[in-house]
Amino acid sequence: MGIQDKPEEWQVTATATPFTGNKTSVRTDQVVMPDGSVHGRDYQVHPGSVAVLALDDDDRVIVLRQYRHPVRHRLWEIPAGLLDVPGENPLHAAQRELYEEAHIKAEDWRVLTDVYTTPGGCDEAVRIFLARDLSEAEGERYAVSEEEADMEHARVPLPELVRSVIAGDVHNNCLVVGALALFAVRAGDGVDSLRPADAPWPARPFEG
């Protein structure tokens, strides 16, 4: 099956949480290294996220643009959001985010890929779904606020989106990974080779 990441946990002699925020916190662990020395490692503790690469019948990807203050940019992204409830089913969360951010529902869902966004400094795990057979959601649009109140929406052909990734014109990690993953799987074993939407996710275990 090729290379594969392996779960492993080195000994921690002490831990502290110097900062706790609304959704995330910062933790400092004293970690025993292979040579026996102990060193501090600071990282953000994150609940995890889901993202949705939604592809319409014209081979266009649903994208949105919003302001991201830490990087001082308005970034093009795909619908995404936090796993707000511990043990939350990631598919249900992804369906919610697609509805709230794009007012779209999908009939066909697959797991496109799973990633750790910044494993050197954050434990965030993201599951990126492929959603197809799209249609407008029923009812009124979800009431947005804060950064989302200024959100723009567009539909971009997948090849154009991939060219933007390679050109360095778009930078959001879920959009980049999702677009390249779909482009690769369609050039390889095909979408039918993707994992089902309820595939296990050891990084963020959930109940069906």
Side-chain angles (χ1 to χ4, degrees), residues 151-174:
M151 188 183 293
E152 303 173 56
H153 295 81
R155 296 191 180 208
V156 181
L158 180 63
E160 180 181 332
L161 195 59
V162 170
R163 285 193 292 270
S164 296
V165 169
I166 301 303
D169 293 334
V170 292
H171 307 88
N172 174 266
N173 60 348
C174 291

Side-chain angles (χ1 to χ4, degrees), residues 55-116:
L55 191 71
D56 70 13
D57 292 340
D58 295 319
D59 209 37
R60 299 176 302 175
V61 177
I62 308 295
V63 293
L64 48 93
R65 184 162 65 173
Q66 64 176 312
Y67 177 66
R68 294 300 188 183
H69 186 71
V71 295
R72 309 309 199 266
H73 270 71
R74 289 176 64 89
L75 298 179
W76 284 106
E77 306 177 353
I78 56 178
L82 299 176
L83 292 168
D84 292 312
V85 180
E88 183 176 16
N89 186 305
L91 174 59
H92 298 166
Q95 291 169 332
R96 179 188 69 233
E97 294 301 329
L98 184 60
Y99 161 72
E100 291 182 358
E101 296 192 348
H103 201 64
I104 294 290
K105 64 179 182 179
E107 299 301 324
D108 185 85
W109 290 83
R110 313 286 178 97
V111 174
L112 189 53
T113 190
D114 300 324
V115 295
Y116 290 114

